[in-house]
Amino acid sequence: MTRTINPAPAGQLADKTADRESRRGIWLVFSGLMVAMLLASLDQTIFSTALPTIVGELHGVDHMLWVTTAYILASTIMMPVYGKVGDLIGRKSIFIAAISLFMVGSVVGGLADSMTALIIGRAIQGLGGGGLIILSQAIIADIVPARERGKYMGIMGAVFALSSVAGPLLGGFFTEGIGWRWAFWMNLPLGALAITAAVFFLHPHTRKQERPRIDVAGIALLAVASSALVLTTVWGGTTYAWTSAVILGLIALTVAAATGFVFVERRASEPVMPLRMFRERNFNLTTAAGLITGIAMFGALAYMPTYLQMVTGASATKAGLLMIPMMGGLLITSTLSGNLVSKTGRYKAYPIIGSVVVGVSLALLSTMTADTSVVVTCTYLGVMGIGLGLSMQILILIVQNTFPAREVGTATAANNYFRQIGASLGAAIVGTLFATRLTDLLTGASLGAGGTGGGANSLTPDAVHHLPAAVRDVIVNAYSDALTPVFLYLVPLLGIAAVLLAFVTEKPLATTIENTPTDSEQPRVPALPLD
């Protein structure tokens, strides 16, 4: 008996085989991107548990917030640069360059013998780290249609969730074990792995524009405006009075640089941040909401591990473990919402609900005292994770769905830039308020007599633990009273974010990719113009 093969099923089989090959190629690329994303996101959190010990050893509590702020500020400045250059010349070569720069910063930080050297190393890391995040998100937009992208973005959110706990946990582990410098050294093998993945999985593709015009003036003015703004928030009311010549000068410099930036961008042939993007309603709304989310998220998370160590008496490692509820909430809701978006094509409700939930979590965190149980604190952090998972990656998806493929890197970078500005402001503002309140509360306490050596400026969790009970209680209550009220100040911002997102227009998610390759060359993965 013979069987006749119908040509149609054979064609369908060929299509299915090609589809499987395509998806396999996408997942290979995606795996490499996740290594880079993990590398960058880990370094936003890994020093949170190690920070009290680091600043105590290097005698620089008064410079503590710069360890976080330097990284965030540097990565923020570079984000638009990586996004625009990637759109112009391709992403593979600059992706590898960003990883390499990140590794150089890790070496500088690992060898640091002073707070100044440590901060410089963190800044260099940030210069590369900004590219890792932006380029990973843009490359996914190159190879996956918006309708299918939700599940991939959800996994990216899960990676961020993992790093939010793995970072503090590893920081604590290194601090209590082989030393906090390994928080830098561990980046070298991870960076090498990420570069290997980029070399083998990202396949080059030529661009039409042979000699792109880089918007040097725009980049310089953007860097000046960003730096002046953050310095204003860091120094204002602490190092310098708000009415001092330095702060007023920084405010004037921010305004002047921002005005000059707008003027330059209106005339640049290839602006680093095209002003036409701000004509898009969805871009404006999601960008404003992202900035607010950045303020709340980093304002809270940058100092929670320190709070847990100082107030609850947790070790650095345990403080990292206590962040797991937040990771769990973020991981679950990020992955779930991403898959639901890919399945249904609906996305507007998720970031609105997420903003409300984050606001609720901040209100709950503001009620904590030195006597609040660890279980209650972890529950509040879990609520925050749920809210962040519903909003972060969906906002990026909305932006990418608003612009054509040739501008997706620039648009993604611009959106992330403003969210990172929020992160810089959040870490700086909360850190400044926290440090100021803490200093005021500890004024008059005889900390040096308790055996801390350098007084309040050299306090470490271990030193506090060995102080006499009376002195220890003063410090513990001071840390709690200095930080928790600040969370309540952030709640109205999340309400504003929810209202803004209610006006987002839910445009249908694209089901195809707008190809931009030149000539007839075909990348190994569909629509993969990577270099």
Side-chain angles (χ1 to χ4, degrees), residues 156-490:
M156 283 186 167
V159 169
F160 184 86
L162 175 63
S163 69
S164 68
V165 171
L169 184 58
L170 286 171
F173 174 77
F174 291 143
T175 300
E176 296 177 347
I178 56 180
W180 56 264
R181 295 180 189 275
W182 279 91
F184 288 104
W185 299 133
M186 65 168 286
N187 293 326
L188 301 185
L190 282 176
L193 181 60
I195 289 177
T196 301
V199 170
F200 287 100
F201 297 160
L202 302 186
H203 304 295
H205 204 290
T206 56
R207 294 284 189 174
K208 290 182 179 180
Q209 190 165 345
E210 296 180 358
R211 297 186 62 183
R213 298 179 180 178
I214 306 300
D215 182 16
V216 177
I219 293 170
L221 287 169
L222 188 65
V224 171
S226 303
S227 301
L229 177 61
V230 174
L231 286 173
T232 300
T233 60
V234 171
W235 288 343
T238 55
T239 305
Y240 302 98
W242 285 106
T243 55
S244 68
V246 173
I247 297 301
L248 294 178
L250 284 172
I251 294 174
L253 181 59
T254 302
V255 174
T259 302
F261 176 75
V262 172
F263 179 82
V264 168
E265 295 304 274
R266 292 179 62 183
R267 290 161 176 76
S269 58
E270 289 292 348
V272 67
M273 191 180 296
L275 299 183
R276 63 178 177 275
M277 291 192 304
F278 295 93
R279 299 171 188 165
E280 293 288 343
R281 175 178 176 177
N282 280 3
F283 176 80
N284 291 333
L285 294 173
T286 55
T287 296
L291 186 148
I292 291 172
T293 301
I295 292 176
M297 179 172 63
F298 281 91
L301 299 185
Y303 298 96
M304 274 307 300
T306 298
Y307 175 90
L308 292 170
Q309 289 181 73
M310 289 294 195
V311 176
T312 70
S315 64
T317 301
K318 186 178 179 181
L321 289 172
L322 292 177
M323 301 295 288
I324 286 179
M326 192 203 74
M327 178 206 72
L330 201 160
L331 190 152
I332 292 171
T333 54
S334 176
T335 304
L336 182 60
S337 61
N339 278 280
L340 288 174
V341 168
S342 292
K343 183 178 181 179
T344 66
R346 306 300 297 271
Y347 54 83
K348 179 177 178 178
Y350 300 116
I352 297 175
I353 297 172
S355 297
V356 173
V357 173
V358 172
V360 170
S361 72
L362 289 170
L364 293 172
L365 288 171
S366 72
T367 65
M368 295 187 305
T369 67
D371 298 322
T372 300
S373 71
V374 172
V375 173
V376 172
T377 299
C378 289
T379 301
Y380 295 165
L381 290 173
V383 175
M384 173 172 282
I386 290 173
L388 293 174
L390 288 171
S391 59
M392 287 176 52
Q393 301 303 318
I394 303 299
L395 294 179
I396 296 172
L397 178 62
I398 296 173
V399 169
Q400 292 182 342
N401 191 56
T402 303
F403 296 94
R406 65 181 179 275
E407 295 182 331
V408 73
T410 302
T412 302
N415 181 263
N416 275 272
Y417 168 81
F418 285 103
R419 185 166 69 182
Q420 286 294 89
I421 281 291
S424 298
L425 293 174
I429 293 171
V430 172
T432 299
L433 292 173
F434 174 41
T436 301
R437 290 169 60 88
L438 181 62
T439 300
D440 291 341
L441 291 170
L442 290 177
T443 298
S446 301
L447 301 178
T452 61
N457 204 42
S458 297
L459 282 175
T460 66
D462 183 66
V464 171
H465 179 71
H466 289 91
L467 287 173
V471 178
R472 183 172 64 248
D473 289 343
V474 170
I475 296 173
V476 167
N477 283 286
Y479 261 82
S480 180
D481 294 343
L483 182 61
T484 55
V486 179
F487 294 144
L488 190 61
Y489 303 158
L490 302 175

Side-chain angles (χ1 to χ4, degrees), residues 91-107:
R91 313 196 201 281
K92 181 175 180 177
S93 59
I94 58 172
F95 188 56
I96 294 173
I99 299 172
S100 301
L101 189 58
F102 184 88
M103 294 170 68
V104 170
S106 297
V107 172

